[in-house]
Amino acid sequence: MATKAAFRLSKAIKATSRPPIPQAYEWAERYAATATRPLLDMSQGVPGVPPPSTLLDALGRASSAPTNCGYIPAAGLPELRKAMAAAMKESYGADADVTHEDIAITAGCNLAFVTVAMALADAGDEVILPVPWYFNHEMTLTMLGIKPVLLHTYAQEGFLPSPERCAALITEKTKAIVLVTPNNPTGAIYPPSLMASFAALARKHKVALVVDETYRDFITAHAPHHLFSKASSGSSVTPYSDDAVPSEWEWRSTFIHLFSFSKSYCVPGHRLGLICASPDIMPALITALDSLQICAPRPPQVALAPLIPSLRPFVHTTAEAVAHRHTLFKAKLPPRWRIGSQGGYYAFVRHPFKGMHANDVCKRLAQEMGVVTLPAGFFGPKGEENRTVMDEDRWVRFSVANVDDRKVELVCERLAESEEVFGWDLD
């Protein structure tokens, strides 16, 4: 047994929820896997393929070069910042008003969020967070003493957040509205018109609109939004379109964009993300970054900077493969299991067992069926024990990115089996 610490931990860290994913893997450890019945993991959002060989080779060269062992500017390599500004014009339209001076490179997107939260809010301030939430966002706010104000989303609305309900939550203590699209955990893709509505709301109340777009490259049907465009440009969207940004819109006054390299470029272990924000607040962000990271890892920045344009086909191909897997999952899912929303890496699915909390369902799926998933309870406030199970308690997150087609089919077969094996009442 470890020796008990003689000192006291902070109240903030003790109030912060523990990362939930290890709980799912503890359940999975009790499954007796065999060669014919392997463990099937659709829990964590990790890429299912490695980066292309060109990037792997570049990472190797950059990591072994003595010149890449030193510090770089806290904002990141200018070459990578310029490459990402150009890439964003491909994602959001040629009229996207983004330059490298708007970009800072971070050691992952989670750290980008920590940095922004530290720069925007003090202990006791409020940040509006849609529920189900991405648990690291809530953990960060709680750890910093910032109050998460919950904006509930609902299955009958496709888990899309309501600007009207959000407006009712804004107080003098509100410092930011945080959105994630495509969403983690629900997979919901927020349409450009909804993003424009939230931009107008944030601008009206003079609060920051912080949007985590880790999965933006997995939106294949349209641009994620038009918030980087000027209201008068009109080249990507007409001024009277539902997708149009607010009149007299200037994104740097309101909008802060977060991005991760982990999913698009399949390099989660190399820890790269970015913040895109007004140069007006960049000194504050750099102050926080200098304290948190000094600089983001240098070798992956050196490797990626010249390759970003040539990697676009790989990014598109990966997105198409994930979209195909979503289609396959929807087609093979047993009829009683209902998809509420789907996109990015995730499908949010309502299980068919009457009166059963998703935590209990996911535990048995892992231990008895060898299917690892995450329950909705991991993505929201902890409910009271022994309370009545509500509809919002019956949702399960499936990640379609880290499995191949055959494993998707096997998962769906085992979900059908569970309806017989578990012996619970069904819808």
Side-chain angles (χ1 to χ4, degrees):
M1 178 181 291
T3 302
K4 186 176 178 62
F7 45 83
R8 180 182 67 83
L9 297 177
S10 76
K11 293 178 181 178
I13 200 67
K14 289 196 288 185
T16 302
S17 302
R18 293 184 179 181
I21 289 179
Q23 175 65 73
Y25 285 125
E26 286 182 17
W27 295 337
E29 287 175 0
R30 300 182 185 180
Y31 176 68
T34 67
T36 56
R37 294 275 295 192
L39 186 72
L40 302 173
D41 186 359
M42 292 187 74
S43 61
Q44 196 168 16
V46 295
V49 296
S53 58
T54 52
L55 178 52
L56 288 172
D57 292 344
L59 286 166
R61 291 192 299 270
S63 297
S64 62
T67 53
N68 291 332
C69 293
Y71 294 125
I72 54 176
L77 284 181
E79 295 85 355
L80 181 59
R81 293 160 62 204
K82 291 176 181 178
M84 292 310 296
M88 290 173 71
K89 291 181 181 292
E90 290 194 33
S91 296
Y92 298 98
D95 60 335
D97 177 26
V98 179
T99 75
H100 74 283
E101 293 180 347
D102 302 314
I103 292 174
I105 304 298
T106 62
C109 195
N110 274 347
L111 192 136
F113 183 78
V114 173
T115 302
V116 168
M118 292 176 70
L120 291 180
D122 296 306
D125 286 336
E126 298 176 351
V127 168
I128 296 173
L129 203 62
V131 178
W133 61 42
Y134 172 50
F135 47 75
N136 283 126
H137 287 172
E138 184 275 333
M139 290 167 63
T140 293
L141 296 176
T142 301
M143 189 165 51
L144 295 174
I146 302 166
K147 180 182 177 181
V149 176
L150 308 187
L151 173 59
H152 289 275
T153 64
Y154 301 97
Q156 61 267 31
E157 298 171 351
F159 292 103
L160 298 177
S162 162
E164 293 76 22
R165 287 196 292 269
C166 184
L169 300 175
I170 296 174
T171 72
E172 60 181 14
K173 291 186 177 182
T174 305
K175 299 300 179 183
I177 301 165
V178 174
L179 303 177
V180 182
T181 179
N183 190 259
N184 181 4
T186 70
I189 297 173
Y190 301 174
S193 58
L194 183 62
M195 298 298 291
S197 295
F198 272 101
L201 177 66
R203 182 174 181 270
K204 175 182 177 181
H205 291 275
K206 295 182 171 59
V207 299
L209 177 63
V210 181
V211 185
D212 182 333
E213 298 188 66
T214 291
Y215 303 94
R216 68 145 192 248
D217 288 317
F218 298 88
I219 300 176
T220 57
H222 54 75
H225 55 72
H226 305 289
L227 300 189
F228 287 115
S229 301
K230 295 179 179 179
S232 60
S233 67
S235 58
S236 289
V237 59
T238 61
Y240 304 103
S241 166
D242 289 340
D243 297 351
V245 295
S247 61
E248 301 180 3
W249 172 252
E250 164 49 62
W251 74 263
R252 292 177 180 85
S253 70
T254 304
F255 180 39
I256 300 175
H257 160 88
L258 310 180
F259 177 71
S260 170
F261 291 77
S262 297
K263 317 306 190 199
S264 298
Y265 300 98
C266 301
V267 288
H270 287 281
R271 306 312 303 142
L272 281 187
L274 68 77
I275 303 169
C276 185
S278 169
D280 180 59
I281 68 167
M282 197 59 71
L285 297 173
I286 295 302
T287 297
L289 285 172
D290 193 68
S291 300
L292 292 169
Q293 68 175 23
I294 305 296
C295 62
R298 183 173 183 168
Q301 293 189 60
V302 171
L304 275 162
L307 294 178
I308 292 296
S310 64
L311 289 174
R312 292 305 295 176
F314 169 79
V315 172
H316 291 313
T317 299
T318 303
E320 290 170 356
V322 171
H324 161 74
R325 217 156 293 130
H326 272 298
T327 301
L328 178 65
F329 180 70
K330 185 175 182 179
K332 297 294 183 178
L333 194 67
R336 289 190 176 95
W337 297 72
R338 178 167 63 84
I339 294 176
S341 51
Q342 196 174 14
Y345 267 23
Y346 308 111
F348 215 48
V349 179
R350 186 180 185 271
H351 73 70
F353 302 106
K354 290 181 178 179
M356 301 307 302
H357 198 290
N359 288 29
D360 298 318
V361 174
C362 290
K363 181 178 180 179
R364 290 194 68 180
L365 283 175
Q367 293 179 349
E368 300 175 36
M369 308 306 298
V371 173
V372 192
T373 58
L374 301 184
F378 285 7
F379 302 95
K382 188 176 181 180
E384 297 178 5
E385 290 189 17
N386 301 319
R387 70 181 177 88
T388 301
V389 174
M390 307 296 287
D391 183 77
E392 60 264 28
D393 300 319
R394 294 180 61 178
W395 294 86
V396 178
R397 191 192 79 171
F398 291 79
S399 173
V400 304
N402 56 336
V403 287
D404 59 26
D405 288 1
R406 181 56 186 151
K407 288 180 179 178
V408 168
E409 294 173 345
L410 289 173
V411 164
C412 292
E413 289 174 8
R414 294 191 196 179
L415 295 180
E417 288 178 33
S418 73
E419 297 176 15
E420 299 291 335
V421 172
F422 291 175
W424 289 329
D425 290 339
L426 299 168
D427 288 334

